């Protein structure tokens, strides 16, 4: 990605950021029921949810917009918006009932102080609120989960019950010395009545509404970080809400995610991860037959990609709606090399067909599919997300999808991008595993677009060890961090500098998390190459991070050793962790460094960056530390994200020149 003229003033950069940050992001979509007009026409409503940065309020706002899609059964005749966008302030989760006649909403309301915020479960029907439950007042459980990992709001097939996931109710902590009031007004009968067990409330998901299918994770002897970690040991279960029996449905020695029931309520597909070592990897697509109780692998792990062939499944979650109308095919999106494409798999024979291959080179994300009508997002590095709909063609004709845009985004001018494939030199080949692969896809990203518009050439390096090129490629990195990944990035930088007309004396680095780890390695191992560096929550010392992170397994595995929860590293393991850490190269560092740390980061605790900061300070290396007190690993809060970007721009301007 590149542009020519550098913006020189911070005010220009701030104005540019304000403009580009207004680009909204699609977060969810669902389809309403089929409607037939009095003239015989058919249409469906598409309900979409979006998020957008609001720099005035310094928060991410959520809003919804509806569209109408007129069709003739297998193609879209006309599509367009139905009214303007409406902010959905306070909505945490929402879900249409199977028939589309009702909608459930989990809403937060109340103050912002401790204990002041309340959660309500609302049921809406037509133009009125049918019911509202103050979940906080019921005191049955703690807060309801509304995140990507555990958040769930599911209607029973009969539309009489709702299923959600909440924190277990915990007893209120009190001082041993707190005086407790004695209620002498209650009679013995009233006290006995208060102690009666609560009536069980049944919620359903499984066929017949008799029970719930769910994923359960192992959490003993302690919980490990689960966000972005699909390798956590877990299994698929069915709990019979009538008899109370809990039944194991899958292998309990692996990791699974996102079970999805077919429209005919006969089969469940889910993702299964055969290795508990890498945090994210190629997965299997498994199918469980509800009536025969037989499990089969529909799509297996792909060790190595051959040419342009399918390279495996790399999505962490299947869309809530992913089945074709005939319950035969499953549609999903997955990274393939440097793109993200849509695929349809025939669950009977296991064949996988791309729905978007041969297009314009951008990336796709499936939001939902219902009655073969697909709702998807498309974007490129120069095109913000565009909303599209199209019908899934019959088997064998999958590549003939006719996409119709519901919401077109304007391309950002003066941004040119492309994919460059590099082969590592012979001395850097990993003889056991395959070649280079991608962790970036050709989708819209705010920071690279901003830098490009400011006049920088941006290189996003797909080093070996990320997803999209087969399982062997992923397994090549554990034991080789700090070497293979670092050499891949340096090789890519040197190749581009040789082949393009860029100023080799004005090269800077930006990276976060593992990218920050690589950036800090590069300024230590190749100090003459880089004039400035910006690192966000970087791993600095694998050995010291082991005892404080929520992913201690990463520290052990990436150093090249097997992990167990009771492992106590010996001197050789500690030595190997230090050898693979950026802290080892401190004496060679001279590149000015800006560190951005989240004080609430559990993944890479901020003390990692502090350790590096102090070591560089004592050696008089130009270094600045920004510590965001309430921020976590992603530094994604609107105020933090905008502040960190502007500080990064000023740092680059100071040390690269205007």
């Amino acid at each position: 990605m590149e542009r020519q003229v550098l913006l020189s003033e911070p005010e220009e950069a701030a104005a540019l950021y304000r403009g580009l940050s207004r680009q909204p992001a699609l977060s969810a979509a669902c389809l309403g029921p089929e409607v037939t007009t009095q003239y015989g026409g058919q249409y469906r409503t598409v309900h979409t949810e979006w998020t957008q940065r609001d720099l005035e309020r310094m928060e991410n706002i959520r809003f919804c917009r509806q569209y109408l899609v007129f069709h003739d059964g297998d193609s879209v005749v006309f599509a367009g918006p139905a009214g303007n966008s409406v902010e959905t302030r306070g909505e945490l989760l929402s879900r249409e009932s199977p028939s589309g006649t009702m909608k459930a909403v989990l809403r937060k309301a109340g103050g912002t102080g401790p204990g002041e915020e309340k959660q309500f479960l609302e049921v809406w029907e037509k133009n009125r609120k049918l019911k509202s439950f103050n979940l906080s007042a019921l005191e049955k459980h703690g807060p309801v989960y509304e995140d990507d990992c555990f958040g769930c709001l599911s209607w029973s097939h009969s539309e009489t019950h709702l299923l959600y996931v909440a924190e277990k109710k915990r007893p209120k902590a009190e001082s041993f010395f707190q005086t407790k009031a004695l209620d002498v007004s209650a009679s013995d009968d009233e006290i006995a009545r208060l102690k009666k067990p609560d009536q069980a409330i049944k919620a359903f998901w499984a066929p017949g509404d008799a029970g719930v299918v769910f994923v359960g994770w192992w959490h003993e002897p302690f919980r490990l970080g689960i966000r972005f970690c699909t390798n956590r040991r877990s299994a698929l279960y069915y709990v019979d809400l009538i008899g109370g029996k809990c039944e194991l449905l899958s292998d309990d020695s692996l990791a699974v995610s996102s079970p999805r029931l077919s429209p005919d309520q006969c089969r469940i597909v889910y993702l299964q991860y055969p290795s508990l070592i890498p945090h994210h990897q190629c997965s299997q697509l498994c199918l469980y037959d509800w009536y025969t109780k037989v499990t089969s692998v529909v799509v297996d792990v792909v060790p190595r990609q051959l040419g342009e062939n399918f390279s495996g499944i790399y999505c962490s979650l299947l869309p809530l709606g992913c089945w074709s109308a005939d319950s035969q095919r499953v549609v999903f999106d997955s990274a393939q090399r440097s793109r993200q494409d849509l695929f349809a798999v025939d669950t009977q024979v296991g064949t996988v067909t791309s729905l978007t291959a041969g297009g314009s080179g951008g990336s796709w994300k499936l939001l939902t599919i219902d009655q073969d009508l697909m709702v998807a997002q498309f974007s490129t590095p120069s095109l913000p997300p565009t909303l599209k709909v199209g019908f899934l063609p019959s088997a064998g004709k999958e590549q003939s999808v006719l996409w119709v845009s519901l919401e077109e985004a304007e391309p950002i001018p003066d941004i040119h991008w492309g994919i460059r494939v590099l082969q590592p030199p012979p001395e850097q080949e990993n003889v056991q595993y395959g070649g280079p692969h991608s962790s970036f896809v050709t989708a819209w990203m705010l920071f690279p677009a901003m830098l490009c518009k400011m006049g920088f050439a941006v290189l996003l390096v797909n080093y070996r060890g990320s997803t999209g090129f087969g399982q062997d490629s992923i397994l090549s990195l554990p034991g080789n961090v700090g070497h293979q990944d670092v050499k891949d990035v340096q090789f890519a930088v040197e190749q581009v500098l040789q082949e393009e007309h860029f100023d080799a004396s004005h090269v800077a680095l930006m990276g976060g998390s593992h990218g920050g780890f690589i950036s800090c390695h590069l300024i230590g191992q190749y100090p003459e190459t880089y004039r400035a560096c910006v690192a966000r929550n970087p791993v600095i010392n694998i050995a010291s991070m082991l005892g404080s992170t929520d992913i201690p397994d990463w520290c052990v595995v990436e150093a090249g050793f097997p992990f167990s929860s009771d492992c106590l590293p010996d001197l050789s393991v500690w030595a190997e962790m230090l050898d693979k850490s950026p802290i080892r190269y401190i004496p060679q560092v001279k590149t000015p460094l800006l560190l951005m740390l989240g004080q609430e980061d559990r993944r890479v605790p901020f003390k990692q960056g502090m350790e590096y900061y102090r070591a560089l300070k004592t050696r008089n290396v130009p270094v600045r530390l920004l510590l965001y007190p309430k921020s976590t690993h992603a530094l994604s809060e609107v105020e933090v994200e905008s502040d960190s970007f502007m500080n990064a721009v000023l740092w680059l301007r100071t040390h690269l020149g205007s």
Side-chain angles (χ1 to χ4, degrees):
M1 298 172 61
E2 59 178 297
R3 189 176 178 267
Q4 299 303 318
V5 182
L6 281 169
L7 296 178
S8 58
E9 295 299 328
E11 292 78 11
E12 293 181 67
L16 183 60
Y17 183 89
R18 184 178 292 276
L20 287 183
S21 67
R22 289 196 182 106
Q23 297 292 343
L26 268 161
S27 56
C30 66
L31 286 157
E34 190 80 56
V35 178
T36 302
T37 69
Q38 59 180 327
Y39 303 107
Q42 294 176 303
Y43 73 88
R44 300 191 70 177
T45 302
V46 181
H47 178 88
T48 59
E49 296 178 7
W50 306 68
T51 61
Q52 180 182 333
R53 301 168 181 86
D54 188 325
L55 295 180
E56 281 68 37
R57 283 160 43 179
M58 281 300 172
E59 63 178 313
N60 267 311
I61 60 171
R62 298 175 60 180
F63 63 91
C64 65
R65 194 176 195 192
Q66 292 192 340
Y67 305 83
L68 295 179
V69 178
F70 289 84
H71 64 89
D72 58 10
D74 55 11
S75 63
V76 176
V77 177
F78 171 80
N84 291 319
S85 303
V86 178
E87 184 176 356
T88 54
R89 191 172 180 85
E91 279 195 17
L92 302 177
L93 290 172
S94 65
R95 191 77 66 233
E96 298 269 353
S97 65
S99 67
T101 59
M102 291 185 288
K103 181 179 181 178
V105 176
L106 176 68
R107 191 183 305 278
K108 65 177 179 180
T112 57
E116 294 178 2
E117 188 175 280
K118 296 179 175 61
Q119 289 184 326
F120 295 84
L121 181 61
E122 304 170 347
V123 178
W124 292 80
E125 182 186 47
K126 296 181 180 178
N127 64 338
R128 62 171 181 155
K129 186 191 294 186
L130 190 64
K131 291 185 179 181
S132 181
F133 304 92
N134 185 340
L135 299 180
S136 303
L138 292 177
E139 296 188 345
K140 300 283 187 182
H141 49 68
V144 177
Y145 287 113
E146 35 88 14
D147 56 39
D148 294 337
C149 294
F150 299 107
C152 165
L153 191 57
S154 179
W155 284 88
S156 64
H157 306 296
S158 61
E159 302 191 0
T160 57
H161 294 77
L162 280 163
L163 172 69
Y164 58 86
V165 181
E167 267 294 331
K168 181 180 179 181
K169 182 174 174 58
R170 302 183 184 278
K172 185 178 179 181
E174 294 180 346
S175 168
F176 285 108
F177 306 100
Q178 181 175 336
T179 302
K180 296 179 176 61
L182 178 63
D183 184 2
V184 296
S185 62
S187 68
D188 291 343
D189 288 342
E190 288 173 322
I191 294 173
R193 210 162 39 242
L194 290 172
K195 291 182 178 179
K196 279 188 176 181
D198 294 326
Q199 180 70 29
I201 298 176
K202 298 176 182 176
F204 309 100
W205 192 93
D209 283 354
V212 173
V213 175
F214 65 95
V215 175
W217 283 266
W218 272 252
H219 63 273
E220 297 293 345
F222 49 80
R223 288 176 171 83
L224 295 170
I226 197 171
R227 188 173 292 277
F228 306 120
C229 299
T230 56
N231 65 325
R232 300 302 180 219
R233 185 185 173 193
S234 49
L236 198 63
Y237 294 91
Y238 167 67
V239 59
D240 184 341
L241 295 179
I242 299 174
K245 181 182 177 183
C246 189
E247 178 185 352
L248 177 68
L249 303 183
S250 68
D251 189 322
D252 65 353
S253 64
L254 306 176
V256 303
S257 77
S258 52
R260 304 290 184 251
L261 182 65
S262 60
D264 62 10
Q265 299 186 31
C266 292
R267 298 179 295 166
I268 297 171
V269 290
Y270 60 94
L271 299 176
Q272 180 170 273
Y273 303 89
S275 171
L276 298 181
I277 297 175
H279 277 176
H280 192 45
Q281 58 191 293
C282 190
S283 69
Q284 297 172 318
L285 181 69
C286 296
L287 184 145
Y288 177 81
D289 190 295
W290 186 256
Y291 295 101
T292 66
K293 310 299 182 186
V294 174
T295 300
S296 57
V297 176
V298 178
V299 179
D300 210 342
V301 167
V302 177
R304 299 193 185 193
Q305 184 187 35
L306 300 175
E308 294 297 322
N309 292 338
F310 179 64
S311 64
I313 300 176
Y314 300 94
C315 55
S316 56
L317 289 172
L318 294 172
L320 286 175
C322 64
W323 281 94
S324 62
D326 60 4
S327 299
Q328 297 300 306
R329 290 178 290 171
V330 171
V331 183
F332 60 91
D333 57 71
S334 177
Q336 302 288 294
R337 302 178 72 90
S338 298
R339 291 179 46 170
Q340 184 162 299
D341 283 320
L342 301 184
F343 296 90
V345 56
D346 188 320
T347 59
Q348 298 297 304
V349 294
T351 54
V352 181
T353 308
S354 174
L355 301 176
T356 50
S360 57
S363 287
W364 294 79
K365 178 182 179 182
L366 179 68
L367 298 169
T368 191
I369 177 175
D370 185 69
Q371 293 296 315
D372 290 342
L373 180 58
M374 298 180 290
V375 184
Q377 169 188 299
F378 174 76
S379 71
T380 75
S382 60
L383 177 70
T386 295
L387 180 64
K388 295 179 179 289
V389 291
F391 275 92
L392 176 68
S394 58
K397 300 180 180 179
E398 283 89 354
Q399 293 187 347
S400 61
V401 181
L402 296 176
W403 294 102
V404 175
S405 293
L406 293 182
E407 194 75 64
E408 283 280 10
E410 290 294 327
I412 306 302
D414 302 320
I415 293 180
H416 310 283
W417 61 273
I419 299 172
R420 179 170 302 195
V421 179
L422 300 176
Q423 186 71 25
E427 66 273 13
Q428 294 181 21
E429 281 283 5
N430 188 318
V431 295
Q432 185 179 1
Y433 295 107
H437 50 266
S438 170
S439 60
F440 290 105
V441 294
T442 55
W444 171 256
M445 293 169 279
L446 176 61
F447 276 22
M450 272 291 305
L451 292 169
C452 188
K453 287 290 289 182
M454 290 177 61
F456 292 97
V458 180
L459 178 65
L460 305 174
V461 182
N462 306 323
Y463 55 85
R464 288 169 290 170
S466 301
T467 56
F469 281 72
Q471 185 78 336
D472 283 356
S473 190
I474 294 169
L475 296 177
S476 71
L477 192 57
N480 293 303
V481 295
H483 302 290
Q484 176 177 288
D485 45 2
V486 175
K487 286 182 171 60
D488 281 357
V489 175
Q490 182 65 18
F491 176 71
V493 170
E494 292 174 355
Q495 285 292 111
V496 169
L497 289 176
Q498 287 177 16
E499 298 170 10
E500 302 287 346
H501 301 293
F502 297 138
D503 187 347
S505 66
H506 284 71
V507 181
L509 290 161
M510 287 186 73
S513 194
H514 194 104
F517 169 83
I518 294 175
S519 297
C520 292
H521 260 296
L522 287 165
I523 61 176
Q525 295 188 42
Y526 304 95
E528 302 300 327
T529 305
Y530 303 100
R531 284 273 299 273
C533 180
V534 178
R536 299 155 56 92
N537 289 322
V539 176
I540 297 300
N541 184 339
I542 299 176
S544 65
M545 184 171 128
L546 176 63
S548 56
T549 177
D550 70 344
I551 52 168
D553 57 317
W554 182 90
C555 301
V556 177
V557 167
E558 298 302 329
F561 301 95
F563 172 78
S564 63
S565 57
D566 60 348
C567 68
L568 294 173
D570 58 24
L571 289 177
S572 64
V573 176
W574 291 121
E576 197 65 27
M577 288 180 176
L578 282 170
D579 181 65
K580 299 181 186 309
S581 300
I583 196 84
R584 171 192 168 190
Y585 299 96
I586 280 286
Q588 291 98 274
V589 176
K590 59 182 182 181
T591 303
L593 172 67
L594 174 62
L595 283 165
M596 302 173 178
L597 310 177
Q599 195 165 350
E600 297 299 318
D601 188 353
R602 296 182 180 181
R603 184 63 42 101
V604 182
F606 77 97
K607 293 295 179 67
Q608 286 283 299
M610 293 290 293
E611 192 173 341
Y612 204 54
Y613 173 78
R614 288 169 178 165
L616 293 178
K617 264 293 195 185
T618 59
R619 289 165 175 79
N620 296 315
V621 177
V623 59
R624 186 185 179 202
L625 171 65
L626 298 177
L627 183 63
Y628 296 99
K630 297 181 181 179
S631 196
T632 56
H633 189 58
L635 299 180
S636 58
E637 300 84 357
V638 172
E639 185 173 11
V640 173
E641 182 188 58
S642 55
D643 182 79
S644 62
F645 182 80
M646 288 306 301
N647 273 287
V649 167
L650 293 173
W651 189 259
L652 296 179
R653 183 170 178 268
T654 299
H655 296 285
L656 294 180
S658 56

